[in-house]
Amino acid sequence: MFHRFSTWWRALSVVLLGLATLTWPLAAQAQTTPFSVISQDAVANMSGAGVSRFALTLAVTKGTTNVVQLSLYPQIVYRSEITALMNGTGPSTTALSSTAIATPTCITGSTLNLHVSLFSAQGTGPSPLCGTQPLHLRLPCSATACDGVYPMSIAVTINNVRSVEWSMITVHVASVLHPLLVDFVPMVDSMAWTASALAESNFGVIANYPSFPLTFAVSYLPLSQAMLDSTNRTWRSALSEALASSQHRAIVSPPPNADLAGLAANGFSSEVTQQVSLASSLLRTITGRFTDGPVFLATPPSPATLDALSQVGSSDVVVPDASFTPAPSNTLGWGAPFRVTGATSVTALSTDGGLEQLASDTAIEPGRRAAMTLATLAFLHFEAPNASSLRTVIVPLNVGSISPTYVNDLLQASQSNPFITPSTLASSFNSSLIGTNNSPSELTLNFSTTSAWSSANVSSLTTLISHTNSYLHAIASPTQTAALQLYLATSEESGSSSNRQRAISAATAYLNTQLNGFRIDDSGITLTGASSELPITLFSSVHYPVTVLLHLITNQLSFPNNKKVYVVQLSTSTTPLRIAATDRQGSSLTLQLEVTTPDGQLVLAHAAVQVRGVGTSVVGYLLSGTSLFVLAWWWLRTYRRKSRGRHAR
């Protein structure tokens, strides 16, 4: 049976889910039904004697519960039948078996715990009771032939009003030769930050299953926001705890509007690398974890997009099954990696769109949704129960919009489900599996167009990249680094050239506010001797440390070891310096000062400073010597005249 959360936790998850997805009509519909499924066993394990049992827990609203009826219908043959059940439409055929209890006495408060026996045609045994009323269902098949997935209706009559919900139950008899490899992929995209409380709850649930293999698909958008928000550290801590286990892996998921194909086509392959590596570096900063090689694309790509990824070393890619017509999940040729027409050296796997839709369907209660998810996976197994090679199913789970109760029920039950083996994504990209089980070895994408770039896009982005990368060499602040990288990355978007230009201009404006935060004091300097010190003051209005180069440009001053470039750490608003200098000419001069980034590519500040010298020069020595000579000659001449006059008398 699924692990049951307390009532307050379930109520909280419903509220958070409603806030995150903004699907109030659906949420209201789910909460106003006369009853809901709290939990349900997804599998009934039938013995060789044809006996099995499953549990079902219902929450009923206030009122008199008149009748509870369970009915099983013929095995599901087509996947479209599952879609109908998701939409609340059951089979049109007659039920195979039904069981009902009138005025049940096994209700505790508003909770009805039911245990149901399920027999084959020849199976016999005791049936669980609700009060004095037995609950049992019987299938018209021998024990060895009952394997399959069956639609199940749950009908509850309250105050003489009958309501019906649809679910599924899987009957397991025979051993499973090759369980499906199921890759649950918690998606950490922009919704994970918008609905941060909900995402934190899902991180907490996943952290409780450290031995459960799964792979996070991480976008740099929420990671950057987490780096920039110094007040919300709980989100970062929750993500770190969810990734603490070595069984919990992570891969990169570029934002849907990142124009990877356009970047590559316009000579910005290094930015394709940055679009992939940015999430990796941010994740390592936040959690200390590295990412695996595959890349997860949340929206259908073009062949040029896949080529751009391949050229920078990302050749294993997960794509939505909506990228193809028909979608692989709607055919029998799913479950194996494949090549993509027009994309060189790319190995791809597709997600299962039907399971992704089911996982996010808030109109279905979490407990019933988890049971239906696992029943769908069992149905996929039964499509080819004797498949000779492993088959992979990828199920995205968006942590910013999905119920934590659903995630808990799903992971809890998956641990003992005989039809699936939870796995991480990297192991599914085995080239030896291409074309196995009669799956296609190559598929053609629906989308082939790429967005157009204007010459202004190219030139302005070139400048922005150059200036940003140069300034990044000057700063060590992780927060400011994340901000600059985020502005640059989000400017490289798909769409029209005008929209792209606006994004580039916004990123440039932000960068310029940082670059304009430096100044040099241009007050005049007076040297008091031939050898003295230059007092130079640098000003910074940014609120983080910056390492810069100070260049002294002049041919009239000499410096120790002829050093004219100094590394300066600007960690406060004012940085005074005293630099030794020698002025051998004693004349006034103009000293040019420049502050640049460490690579010297970007000038942050410039000043022309007037320097006045008052020390003794060579000319001064000559003038002084001449004056002394004239004075001595005058004194000697005067002395001789006085001596002659004395002798004459």
Side-chain angles (χ1 to χ4, degrees):
M1 181 181 291
F2 293 104
H3 175 69
R4 298 189 183 93
F5 276 16
S6 60
T7 303
W8 70 267
W9 173 261
R10 291 181 178 276
L12 177 62
S13 69
V14 171
V15 172
L16 290 173
L17 183 60
L19 288 171
T21 59
L22 299 179
T23 53
W24 290 111
L26 290 177
Q29 176 185 347
Q31 295 178 58
T32 57
T33 53
F35 76 95
S36 61
V37 177
I38 296 177
S39 65
Q40 178 207 321
D41 286 343
V43 179
N45 294 299
M46 184 169 284
S47 67
V51 178
S52 62
R53 180 179 292 191
F54 66 92
L56 175 67
T57 302
L58 306 178
V60 295
T61 58
K62 293 181 179 180
T64 301
T65 302
N66 307 114
V67 179
V68 177
Q69 182 179 28
L70 305 178
S71 300
L72 292 183
Y73 291 79
Q75 286 184 28
I76 295 174
V77 179
Y78 302 105
R79 189 157 185 181
S80 58
E81 297 175 63
I82 296 177
T83 304
L85 293 174
M86 290 169 52
N87 295 329
T89 303
S92 57
T93 56
T94 304
L96 298 175
S97 179
S98 296
T99 186
I101 51 175
T103 315
T105 58
C106 51
I107 293 181
T108 303
S110 60
T111 302
L112 179 60
N113 293 305
L114 302 176
H115 295 271
V116 184
S117 286
L118 178 60
F119 300 109
S120 67
Q122 294 80 29
T124 59
S127 298
L129 301 177
C130 176
T132 59
Q133 302 177 79
L135 282 166
H136 57 258
L137 294 163
R138 186 174 298 278
L139 295 174
C141 51
S142 62
T144 56
C146 288
D147 273 308
V149 180
Y150 297 82
M152 179 173 67
S153 67
I154 307 168
V156 179
T157 302
I158 300 175
N159 295 336
N160 297 315
V161 177
R162 189 172 187 267
S163 301
V164 179
E165 299 286 3
W166 289 94
S167 186
M168 295 178 279
I169 187 76
T170 302
V171 177
H172 170 228
V173 181
S175 60
V176 178
L177 179 63
H178 288 306
L180 299 177
L181 285 182
V182 177
D183 298 325
F184 291 115
V185 182
M187 296 171 59
V188 186
D189 59 11
S190 55
M191 280 293 294
W193 184 255
T194 303
S196 59
L198 182 60
E200 287 176 32
S201 297
N202 278 312
F203 293 153
V205 170
I206 293 170
N208 289 331
Y209 295 89
S211 60
F212 193 102
L214 49 77
T215 303
F216 283 83
V218 184
S219 165
Y220 60 72
L221 292 176
L223 298 181
S224 298
Q225 294 296 331
M227 289 288 294
L228 296 175
D229 189 343
S230 60
T231 62
N232 190 356
R233 297 187 180 277
T234 57
W235 191 94
R236 295 170 58 174
S237 298
L239 177 60
S240 297
E241 291 173 5
L243 280 168
S245 169
S246 61
Q247 292 295 312
H248 296 171
R249 313 298 298 178
I251 61 173
V252 168
S253 179
N257 64 342
D259 193 359
L260 305 181
L263 288 170
N266 289 280
F268 298 111
S269 293
S270 61
E271 289 305 295
V272 177
T273 301
Q274 180 67 5
Q275 286 283 343
V276 174
S277 63
L278 180 54
S280 297
S281 62
L282 290 171
L283 186 70
R284 188 161 61 253
T285 300
I286 293 173
T287 68
R289 291 295 301 273
F290 291 82
T291 55
D292 293 336
V295 172
F296 186 97
L297 298 179
T299 54
S302 66
T305 298
L306 299 184
D307 261 341
L309 287 170
S310 176
Q311 289 168 12
V312 299
S314 299
S315 56
D316 292 340
V317 184
V318 179
V319 296
D321 69 347
S323 305
F324 309 96
T325 301
S329 62
N330 291 332
T331 71
L332 296 178
W334 57 267
F338 51 87
R339 305 294 186 192
V340 177
T341 304
T344 307
S345 303
V346 170
T347 301
L349 280 167
S350 63
T351 61
D352 190 294
L355 282 167
E356 183 176 10
Q357 179 184 352
L358 175 57
S360 60
D361 191 343
T362 57
I364 303 175
E365 318 92 293
R368 182 161 61 100
R369 201 186 327 160
M372 294 180 73
T373 299
L374 292 169
T376 302
L377 289 169
F379 169 79
L380 294 178
H381 162 76
F382 285 123
E383 280 190 328
N386 299 314
S388 58
S389 298
L390 294 173
R391 294 180 295 161
T392 296
V393 182
I394 299 175
V395 185
L397 305 171
N398 194 309
V399 299
S401 62
I402 208 165
S403 163
T405 305
Y406 167 76
V407 174
N408 181 77
D409 288 353
L410 181 64
L411 300 187
Q412 173 75 16
S414 295
Q415 295 180 116
S416 57
N417 190 292
F419 301 102
I420 68 173
T421 299
S423 176
T424 55
L425 259 175
S427 60
S428 297
F429 284 95
N430 188 334
S431 59
S432 66
L433 295 175
I434 294 176
T436 56
N437 298 321
N438 296 317
S439 63
S441 59
E442 184 172 305
L443 292 176
T444 301
L445 292 165
N446 291 332
F447 305 93
S448 59
T449 58
T450 57
S451 56
W453 285 50
S454 67
S455 58
N457 290 162
V458 176
S459 60
S460 57
L461 183 59
T462 299
T463 301
L464 175 61
I465 293 170
S466 174
H467 288 183
T468 299
N469 289 339
S470 180
Y471 188 57
L472 285 172
H473 287 105
I475 61 178
S477 165
T479 301
Q480 190 55 41
T481 297
L484 289 168
Q485 290 175 331
L486 177 62
Y487 268 97
L488 175 58
T490 53
S491 71
E492 300 165 347
E493 62 180 24
S494 58
S496 67
S497 58
S498 58
N499 286 343
R500 186 178 303 107
Q501 192 60 47
R502 280 192 289 271
I504 294 172
S505 297
T508 301
Y510 176 78
L511 176 62
N512 287 339
T513 61
Q514 309 304 308
L515 302 183
N516 294 334
F518 305 95
R519 184 171 62 86
I520 304 171
D521 184 3
D522 59 0
S523 302
I525 298 174
T526 301
L527 294 178
T528 58
S531 296
S532 187
E533 290 184 331
L534 297 173
I536 298 173
T537 303
L538 306 182
F539 300 98
S540 170
S541 62
V542 300
H543 303 293
Y544 48 87
V546 181
T547 301
V548 298
L549 298 182
L550 173 63
H551 301 258
L552 294 85
I553 305 170
T554 180
N555 293 323
Q556 296 176 265
L557 295 176
S558 59
F559 302 93
N561 300 319
N562 200 31
K563 183 179 180 181
K564 295 184 179 181
V565 180
Y566 294 83
V567 178
V568 182
Q569 176 81 25
L570 305 180
S571 54
T572 60
S573 59
T574 303
T575 303
L577 305 170
R578 299 192 72 84
I579 298 175
T582 301
D583 177 14
R584 299 192 181 280
Q585 298 180 6
S587 58
S588 297
L589 58 97
T590 300
L591 174 63
Q592 301 289 338
L593 298 175
E594 280 188 353
V595 172
T596 71
T597 50
D599 61 3
Q601 299 300 309
L602 195 58
V603 176
L604 302 177
H606 176 271
V609 178
Q610 296 300 314
V611 179
R612 294 187 300 276
V614 297
T616 304
S617 65
V618 174
V619 175
Y621 282 117
L622 291 174
L623 291 174
S624 298
T626 301
S627 298
L628 289 173
F629 175 78
V630 171
L631 181 61
W633 178 80
W634 175 83
W635 179 83
L636 181 61
R637 184 179 178 187
T638 302
Y639 175 77
R640 287 178 176 177
R641 285 180 178 175
K642 288 182 179 180
S643 297
R644 288 175 187 164
R646 190 179 301 118
H647 289 303
R649 288 193 297 268

